[in-house]
């Protein structure tokens, strides 16, 4: 037995004793999981302490990454792999009669995120730690996350995602780092020695209590910290109400504080929801900015040196209120004049835009901000006035500036605030960055062209390849060595095996084994049987109209019609797999989920068709499910309407696992195409300029229905329905909806999509060619590593250096 095994066993036994007062032979699986997780957590905290000491010694600049969500997935496997102790852990547990893989399954996915935004943030914490950058992420410690998805009679039902009983082992409560956050009340102006001061009165105060999650890097000295805030009220307990039996009133303020971090993205289609969302966002940024400044003062002493040692990143618009909050602290607590404080803020803050969709660029009612955050409201007006004055001096008219102001039409525009305050603004793919310069933020681009740049998204390749696809990782180690683990660009060495029959054969074997593994996973999770000999055609991502899961469904219905008319036609056996959550009040998206499930139910009744065409909806899609599904996928569906997807990251995860993309020239698909070429992916549909031109001319979806017999046949089939359920309302949405039908142009791209699908189908029949395409995708995926993204942020935006 190695020394590593012995040390790990000693620590495990100590933690079993401390946590439960038992020996290893008395422990059940749950107890052993928590003891192991505690042991790994303890080791990482020691590593973090050492690295933080080095950062202070070298006076390194730090990056603070603010995001409303971090989709972390499971931590145990990720940390053990990153620390390089999987063999030691496996052997130590074996001596106690436990299997490491079984313990992995006991950990719930951390319910701290939803989709691509949160998963990107999680990948970035990994990339920062792996390259020894000093980094802290800030978010909220959600009790129930977004929701747990349950499909009942085809319909998405939302349940609380109870993750803390198994997940809190990774959270380290820091009651030494609490801060007060103030809501409501009013602001009184006072004058002293001729200067105006703002005094916030009659406010309600909530204590922000942090919980730290340590995030390891791959073979590195650094450990990132994800600090998660929870609201508590430790003062306003009404003992008189309690004594009189009015327990609800006695606990009112405590309950209101507790609500702040109950769930991620509460519905905001009513006043209470909007009020809670604003409180969540301000609570996050206020606690985080207070924390950042307190640490800076502790270690460096002088508030004026903040821009030298601190970089604050706004990931999407949710944390935009960090701008006026930083201004508030600099002016009210440190008595810095507005102009000087504003220059400091602009040197500290940068912003990543993640969407061009108008509805996703957050706007809040001006009156709501004024009521809930009266001091912040005043500062926002001052920032807007400052921007107005500066631009008028540059010769811009009020008419030109009107859409650029923070305030407009009774709303506070959070994207405008983020752009105005940031020293850099970036998009997340080459196409997206051009779009925001030329349309969404064109007015700002004309004023500050030097402010805008691009950093294409990336993925944690160690997690999504090495951990998720051990068969492929083993083959890569044998063929090209292990260097790709730290330097993903080395994956390109695999290209020299493109014509090697043995390598291609091994790739096909690994894919089949991964498909068998997913089939087993799906059966255990949902009792659904699928055939791993079929082609796995996969679309997994948040359910949204612009991502066009509906277009994929229309294709499937077209194929189904052909099989219903002639079950004996010769087709490639295929299984279409969907995984997606729809926002709880997004009924158009929930209808698409129901349609997918009803088509699936219909096919299950037709065994002669099911063996050739199957449809599966993966319930409660999450990181852990993705880690099994993505390595098993043959075809990656990336079919958003051109110009609507900022980047996407699932496309990169599929690519690095050897799936071949069927997609539009949208988001990072453009850069995938740049790297693999026409011969190794299947493109279809209009380009961004063609989409805009069609809208300009006038897009009338019903014309496509009337003129295209295949489209008419497919939509009429929706009207007829599946399993006794008509989906005529979806047909109406596509061709007879007011004020616009088919706004994401499924019908306009349908023929092109079917043509690309048929080309893909033909290519798949040539097993050697398909394996070669798969190999090219793997070898060219290195550029989409989060490590590369982080280096670009560090060098071009944050101006931070690794600490070694």
């Amino acid at each position: 037995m190695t020394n590593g095994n012995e040390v790990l066993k000693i620590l495990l036994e100590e933690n079993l004793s401390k946590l439960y007062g038992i020996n290893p032979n008395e422990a059940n699986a749950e107890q052993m999981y928590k003891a192991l997780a505690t042991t790994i957590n303890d080791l990482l905290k020691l590593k973090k302490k050492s690295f933080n000491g080095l950062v202070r010694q070298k006076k390194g600049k730090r990056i603070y990454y603010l995001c409303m969500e971090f989709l972390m997935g499971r931590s145990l496997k990720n940390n053990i792999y990153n620390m390089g102790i999987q063999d030691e852990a496996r052997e130590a547990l074996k001596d106690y009669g436990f299997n490491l893989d079984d313990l992995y399954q006991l950990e719930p996915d951390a319910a701290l995120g939803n989709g691509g935004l949160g998963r990107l943030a999680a990948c970035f914490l990994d990339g920062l730690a792996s390259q020894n950058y000093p980094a802290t992420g800030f978010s909220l410690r959600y009790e129930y996350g977004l929701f747990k998805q349950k499909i009942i009679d085809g319909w998405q039902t939302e349940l609380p995602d109870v993750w803390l009983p198994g997940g809190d082992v990774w959270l380290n409560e820091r009651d030494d780092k609490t801060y007060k956050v103030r809501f409501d009340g009013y602001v009184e102006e006072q004058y002293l020695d001729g200067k105006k001061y703002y005094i916030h009165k009659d406010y309600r105060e909530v204590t922000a209590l942090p919980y730290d999650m340590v995030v390891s890097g791959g073979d590195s000295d650094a450990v990132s910290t994800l600090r998660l805030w929870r609201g508590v009220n430790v003062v306003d307990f009404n003992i008189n109400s309690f004594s009189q039996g009015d327990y609800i009133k006695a606990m009112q303020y405590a309950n209101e504080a507790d609500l702040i971090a109950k769930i991620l993205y509460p519905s905001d289609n009513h006043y209470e929801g909007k009020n809670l969302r604003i409180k969540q966002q301000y609570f996050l940024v206020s606690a985080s900015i207070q924390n950042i400044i307190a640490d800076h003062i502790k270690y460096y002493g002088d508030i004026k040196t903040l821009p030298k040692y601190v970089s604050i990143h706004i990931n999407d618009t949710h944390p935009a209120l960090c701008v006026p909050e930083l201004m508030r602290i600099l002016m009210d607590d440190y008595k810095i004049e507005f102009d000087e404080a504003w220059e400091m803020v602009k040197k500290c803050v940068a912003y990543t835009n993640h969407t061009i969709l108008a509805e996703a660029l957050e706007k809040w009612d001006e009156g709501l901000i004024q009521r809930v955050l009266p001091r912040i409201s005043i500062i926002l007006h001052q920032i807007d006035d400052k921007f107005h004055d500066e631009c008028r001096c540059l010769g811009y008219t009020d008419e030109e500036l009107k859409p650029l102001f923070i305030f407009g039409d009774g709303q506070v525009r959070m994207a405008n605030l983020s752009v105005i305050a940031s020293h850099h603004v970036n998009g997340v793919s080459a196409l997206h960055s051009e779009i925001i310069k030329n349309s969404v933020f064109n007015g700002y681009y004309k004023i500050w062209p030097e402010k805008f740049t691009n950093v294409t998204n990336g993925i944690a390749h160690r997690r999504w390849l090495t951990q998720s696809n051990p068969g492929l990782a083993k083959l890569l180690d044998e063929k090209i060595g292990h260097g790709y683990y730290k330097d993903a660009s080395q994956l390109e060495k695999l290209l020299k095996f493109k014509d090697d029959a043995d390598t291609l054969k091994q790739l096909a074997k690994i894919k089949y084994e991964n498909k068998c593994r997913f089939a087993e996973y799906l059966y255990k999770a949902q009792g659904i049987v699928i055939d791993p000999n079929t082609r796995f055609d996969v679309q997994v991502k948040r359910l949204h109209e612009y991502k066009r899961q509906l277009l994929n469904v229309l294709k499937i219905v077209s194929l189904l019609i052909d099989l219903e008319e002639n079950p004996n036609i010769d087709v490639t056996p295929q299984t279409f797999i969907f995984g997606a959550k729809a926002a709880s009040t997004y009924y158009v998206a929930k209808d698409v989920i129901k349609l997918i499930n009803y088509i699936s139910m219909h096919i299950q009744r037709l065994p002669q068709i099911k063996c050739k065409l199957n449809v599966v909806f993966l319930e409660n899609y999450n990181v852990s499910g993705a880690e099994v599904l993505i390595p098993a996928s043959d075809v990656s569906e990336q079919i958003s309407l051109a110009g609507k997807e900022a980047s996407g990251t699932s496309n990169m995860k599929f690519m690095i696992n050897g799936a071949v993309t069927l997609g539009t020239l949208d988001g990072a698909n453009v850069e995938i195409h740049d790297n693999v070429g026409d011969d190794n992916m299947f493109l279809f549909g209009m380009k961004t300029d063609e989409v805009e031109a069609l809208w300009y001319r006038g897009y009338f979806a019903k014309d496509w229905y009337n003129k295209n017999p295949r489209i008419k046949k497919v939509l009429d089939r929706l009207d007829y329905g599946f399993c006794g359920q008509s989906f005529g309302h979806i047909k109406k949405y596509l061709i007879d909806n007011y004020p616009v039908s088919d706004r994401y142009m499924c019908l306009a791209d349908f023929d092109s999509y079917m043509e690309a699908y048929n080309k893909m189908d033909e290519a798949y029949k040539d097993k050697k060619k398909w394996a070669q395409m798969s190999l090219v995708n793997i070898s060219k995926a290195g550029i989409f590593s989060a490590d590369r993204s982080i280096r670009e942020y560090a060098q071009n935006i944050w101006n931070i250096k690794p600490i070694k």
Side-chain angles (χ1 to χ4, degrees):
M1 185 173 290
T2 67
N3 289 333
N5 289 342
E6 293 287 4
V7 171
L8 199 57
K9 288 178 72 174
I10 291 169
L11 296 173
L12 268 172
E13 290 175 14
E14 286 179 355
N15 278 316
L16 281 170
S17 179
K18 282 191 291 187
L19 292 170
Y20 305 110
I22 59 174
N23 296 315
N25 60 349
E26 300 173 278
N28 60 32
E30 183 71 28
Q31 290 167 329
M32 186 58 77
Y33 152 69
K34 290 198 172 183
L36 178 60
T38 301
T39 299
I40 301 302
N41 203 20
D42 289 344
L43 291 171
L44 286 172
K45 284 190 285 185
L46 287 173
K47 193 174 182 181
K48 172 189 167 187
K49 178 183 175 183
S50 175
F51 182 72
N52 284 349
L54 186 63
V55 174
R56 290 192 291 271
Q57 177 189 330
K58 297 202 171 185
K59 294 188 175 182
K61 187 176 184 180
R62 299 170 185 261
I63 174 63
Y64 297 94
Y65 200 82
L66 276 63
C67 189
M68 211 67 202
E69 55 171 296
F70 285 79
L71 192 58
M72 302 301 294
R74 292 169 172 164
S75 293
L76 182 60
K77 183 177 180 180
N78 188 59
N79 287 327
I80 285 176
Y81 264 79
N82 278 347
M83 294 167 73
I85 59 171
Q86 55 267 40
D87 291 338
E88 289 89 339
R90 198 172 295 280
E91 286 300 315
L93 290 168
K94 185 179 179 181
D95 290 344
Y96 298 137
F98 291 93
N99 181 279
L100 181 58
D101 294 322
D102 292 339
L103 296 192
Y104 287 153
Q105 302 308 313
L106 295 178
E107 181 181 358
D109 277 37
L112 300 169
N114 171 33
L117 180 72
R119 188 54 231 164
L120 179 76
C123 286
F124 278 5
L125 288 183
D126 177 285
L128 285 159
S130 296
Q131 298 175 95
N132 293 308
Y133 292 104
T136 300
F138 285 110
S139 194
L140 299 184
R141 195 214 70 164
Y142 300 107
E143 187 173 349
Y144 297 123
L146 185 73
F147 57 79
K148 182 177 181 180
Q149 182 189 58
K150 184 71 176 174
I151 303 299
I152 300 176
D153 193 25
W155 184 254
Q156 172 184 287
T157 304
E158 298 84 29
L159 302 173
D161 191 351
V162 182
W163 73 283
L164 284 171
D168 64 355
V169 68
W170 296 103
L171 303 180
N172 309 299
E173 184 179 316
R174 296 294 304 272
D175 57 10
D176 60 318
K177 295 279 188 179
T178 60
Y179 298 94
K180 306 293 185 184
V181 181
R182 296 173 177 179
F183 300 103
D184 305 326
Y186 66 96
V187 173
E188 186 177 275
E189 295 180 4
Q190 295 182 1
Y191 288 85
L192 182 64
D193 297 331
K195 290 187 176 181
K196 184 190 293 185
Y197 294 91
Y198 297 92
I199 311 300
H200 194 177
K201 294 190 170 184
D202 288 352
Y203 50 79
R204 289 187 179 179
E205 195 169 71
V206 175
T207 298
L209 175 64
Y211 294 78
D212 285 356
M213 177 183 285
V214 286
V215 182
S216 60
D219 188 25
S220 64
D221 296 324
V223 175
S224 296
T225 299
L226 175 56
R227 181 156 289 172
L228 305 164
W229 300 102
R230 174 191 169 206
V232 295
N233 191 306
V234 295
V235 178
D236 295 324
F237 174 70
N238 192 327
I239 196 166
N240 291 326
S241 297
F242 194 89
S243 299
Q244 295 166 15
D246 192 347
Y247 305 129
I248 294 176
K249 184 177 180 181
M251 297 298 294
Q252 178 183 351
Y253 292 149
N255 290 337
E256 288 178 359
D258 193 47
L259 276 176
I260 289 175
K262 268 299 182 202
I263 66 168
L264 170 65
Y265 302 140
S267 297
D268 61 354
N269 57 348
H270 43 71
Y271 175 80
E272 290 78 8
K274 292 181 174 67
N275 184 65
L276 181 55
R277 284 250 193 148
I278 282 294
K279 285 186 173 180
Q280 282 187 331
Q281 293 183 8
Y282 182 66
F283 180 76
L284 165 61
V285 302
S286 179
S288 303
I289 297 298
Q290 290 182 68
N291 189 170
I292 291 167
I293 290 179
D295 283 353
H296 175 77
I297 294 298
K298 179 179 178 180
Y299 297 121
Y300 300 110
D302 184 1
I303 189 65
K304 299 290 184 70
T305 63
L306 191 74
K308 181 179 179 181
Y309 295 110
V310 166
S311 184
I312 299 169
H313 202 85
I314 303 173
N315 196 36
D316 214 356
T317 54
H318 310 114
L321 289 172
C322 72
V323 172
E325 177 63 6
L326 181 52
M327 289 290 292
R328 181 192 70 79
I329 294 172
L330 293 176
M331 292 190 297
D332 294 358
D333 296 350
Y334 290 90
K335 311 306 178 189
I336 297 174
E337 295 291 337
F338 179 90
D339 286 351
E340 185 179 1
W342 182 235
E343 290 305 311
M344 290 176 64
V345 168
K346 290 192 295 180
K347 289 176 182 176
C348 289
V349 174
Y351 161 57
T352 295
N353 171 269
H354 283 274
T355 183
I356 62 167
L357 300 179
E359 64 268 28
L361 293 172
E362 285 189 304
K363 302 178 184 70
W364 295 106
D365 179 71
E366 185 177 346
L368 177 64
I369 297 288
Q370 190 172 2
R371 285 190 296 274
V372 178
L373 307 171
R375 179 69 182 108
I376 294 301
S377 178
I378 291 170
I379 295 171
L380 287 170
H381 278 286
Q382 291 174 318
I383 293 171
D384 217 17
D385 291 343
K386 177 75 172 175
F387 170 69
H388 188 188
D389 292 343
E390 288 178 349
C391 291
R392 284 204 333 195
C393 290
L394 294 172
Y396 291 92
T397 67
D398 285 357
E399 192 63 30
E400 290 173 305
L401 295 173
K402 188 176 179 181
L404 308 183
F405 290 141
I406 297 169
F407 290 88
D409 300 321
Q411 295 180 314
V412 183
R413 302 157 174 164
M414 308 305 271
N416 291 21
L417 168 63
S418 300
V419 174
I420 290 169
S422 296
H423 56 78
H424 281 88
V425 176
N426 72 281
V428 289
S429 72
L431 174 63
H432 173 234
S433 294
E434 288 303 308
I435 290 172
I436 64 174
K437 287 192 297 187
N438 295 328
S439 61
V440 182
F441 297 143
N442 182 250
Y444 300 112
Y445 179 65
K446 289 176 179 176
I447 300 170
W448 303 302
E450 72 286 350
K451 180 179 286 197
F452 290 83
T453 188
N454 173 64
V455 181
T456 298
N457 282 346
I459 59 171
H461 73 279
R462 284 167 291 273
R463 182 169 197 146
W464 292 103
L465 193 162
T466 313
Q467 295 176 37
S468 301
N469 200 339
L472 178 56
K474 182 181 178 182
L475 177 64
L476 290 169
D477 288 348
E478 293 171 356
K479 298 295 181 181
I480 65 172
H482 198 59
Y484 70 90
Y485 183 81
K486 288 293 285 184
D487 177 10
S489 69
Q490 293 192 29
L491 287 171
E492 196 152 1
K493 292 178 180 178
L494 188 64
L495 269 180
K496 65 185 177 183
F497 297 96
K498 182 181 176 184
D499 296 314
D500 181 66
D502 180 64
T503 301
L504 298 177
K505 183 179 178 181
Q506 288 186 68
L507 276 178
K509 180 174 180 288
I510 291 164
K511 181 66 71 175
Y512 177 73
E513 289 169 349
N514 288 334
K515 291 163 83 169
C516 291
R517 184 163 61 110
F518 176 72
E520 182 181 352
Y521 169 89
L522 185 63
Y523 180 73
K524 287 180 179 178
Q526 293 176 235
I528 295 173
V529 177
I530 58 174
D531 183 357
N533 290 296
T534 61
R535 181 173 63 220
F536 284 8
D537 188 311
V538 182
Q539 187 177 16
V540 285
K541 50 186 75 246
R542 184 166 48 92
L543 204 307
H544 196 288
E545 290 163 272
Y546 85 84
K547 294 179 184 289
R548 298 203 297 190
Q549 285 92 344
L550 183 54
L551 176 58
N552 195 353
V553 173
L554 297 180
K555 174 192 69 185
I556 293 168
V557 172
S558 178
L559 299 173
L560 177 60
I561 290 170
D562 290 341
L563 283 167
E564 286 178 328
E565 292 177 349
N566 181 7
N568 297 315
I569 57 174
D570 184 25
V571 299
T572 304
Q574 56 193 327
T575 300
F576 290 95
I577 302 169
F578 293 87
K581 290 182 179 180
S584 60
T585 56
Y586 192 179
Y587 294 106
V588 172
K590 292 175 85 168
D591 274 336
V592 174
I593 290 176
K594 185 175 181 179
L595 173 59
I596 294 167
N597 281 292
Y598 267 75
I599 291 172
S600 177
M601 287 188 279
H602 174 74
I603 290 172
Q604 304 315 304
R605 300 177 180 182
L606 305 169
Q608 194 174 1
I609 288 177
K610 181 186 173 184
C611 63
K612 296 180 177 181
L613 172 66
N614 198 5
V615 175
V616 170
F617 188 88
L618 180 58
E619 186 178 72
N620 199 43
Y621 178 67
N622 57 16
V623 175
S624 296
E627 289 170 344
V628 186
L629 172 58
I630 290 174
S633 303
D634 295 304
V635 179
S636 166
E637 297 269 358
Q638 307 295 334
I639 60 176
S640 54
L641 179 64
K644 301 302 180 185
E645 182 72 82
S647 170
T649 53
S650 72
N651 45 7
M652 304 169 188
K653 293 163 194 159
F654 282 105
M655 179 188 185
I656 205 168
N657 280 281
V660 179
T661 303
L662 171 58
T664 53
L665 275 174
D666 195 25
N669 289 357
V670 175
E671 287 152 273
I672 291 175
H673 176 254
D674 290 343
N675 281 275
V676 304
D678 289 333
D679 294 337
N680 296 291
M681 70 183 296
F682 300 94
L683 291 175
F684 75 91
M686 296 175 286
K687 297 177 183 177
T688 302
D689 58 342
E690 293 169 330
V691 170
E692 293 172 355
L694 181 54
W695 273 120
Y696 182 79
R697 294 196 305 271
Y699 174 58
F700 303 101
K702 199 163 189 175
D703 290 348
W704 299 78
Y705 170 80
N706 290 328
K707 295 176 182 177
N708 188 314
R710 171 55 65 169
I711 289 176
K712 185 176 189 307
K713 203 170 190 178
V714 169
L715 297 195
D716 289 349
R717 186 67 174 83
L718 296 184
D719 213 354
Y720 180 79
F722 307 92
C723 296
Q725 173 73 58
S726 170
F727 289 89
H729 57 292
I730 293 182
K731 173 184 174 181
K732 182 178 179 181
Y733 158 83
L734 287 168
I735 61 172
D736 280 318
N737 195 50
Y738 179 82
V740 60
S741 299
D742 188 23
R743 64 176 177 151
Y744 293 105
M745 298 184 166
C746 291
L747 304 189
D749 270 348
F750 179 80
D751 279 349
S752 177
Y753 182 37
M754 293 303 299
E755 183 180 345
Y757 164 80
N758 289 328
K759 288 180 181 177
M760 178 275 295
D761 186 52
E762 281 302 310
Y764 185 79
K765 293 173 184 178
D766 184 337
K767 296 305 178 187
K768 179 183 176 182
K769 180 180 179 182
W770 190 265
Q772 289 176 317
M773 294 173 73
S774 179
L775 183 145
V776 170
N777 274 270
I778 295 166
S779 66
K780 292 290 188 177
I783 194 172
F784 299 110
S785 166
D787 292 356
R788 185 269 313 153
S789 299
I790 288 300
R791 287 194 299 273
E792 291 181 7
Y793 276 107
Q795 294 164 13
N796 303 331
I797 295 178
W798 301 331
N799 191 28
I800 64 171
K801 292 180 170 60
I803 304 296
K804 297 178 181 177

